[in-house]
Amino acid sequence: GRAEAPDEEGKVKVFFELNGQPRTARVPKAGLEGASKARAKADAANVGHVGAPMPGMVVTVAIKPGQKVAKGAPLLSIEAMKMETMLSAERDVVIKAVHVKPGDVIAAKDLMVEYD
């Protein structure tokens, strides 16, 4: 097959024939780190993990590591299908890590925030 320049995910389209049918597959380019690495997924068993409820784009991040956040306080908002969804703290917490920034594209269950 023939390959072209990698896209923003570091993948290239490869053209090949299978049983006489032309096919295309997107594969990671050898030796190239994808610009948007696959994000870690939130561990459902870990109450300190905040995962993305759906695929979308991060619009705002209202928190930073080390910050104390009260129950119900906004953590971040996601836009999906032209609707913005605000995620809030489920309880009083201290933010351990923030894994996303505004403009990041996320998939469902991607780990976005960790807290104690």
Side-chain angles (χ1 to χ4, degrees), residues 4-13 26-29 32:
E4 49 188 43
D7 64 14
E8 66 282 351
E9 289 177 36
K11 295 202 172 155
V12 287
K13 265 192 192 139
R26 285 178 73 233
V27 296
K29 177 142 174 68
L32 184 76

Side-chain angles (χ1 to χ4, degrees), residues 72-114:
L75 299 176
L76 49 84
S77 65
I78 300 169
E79 185 184 290
M81 297 176 289
K82 304 279 181 256
M83 285 176 53
E84 209 168 302
T85 303
M86 177 61 73
L87 299 184
S88 310
E90 297 163 6
R91 54 192 164 81
D92 292 0
V93 295
V94 175
I95 305 301
K96 240 195 307 197
V98 180
H99 297 284
V100 294
K101 62 189 183 311
D104 281 359
V105 174
I106 43 141
K109 298 187 175 57
D110 278 0
L111 179 59
M112 299 189 301
V113 179
E114 286 179 79

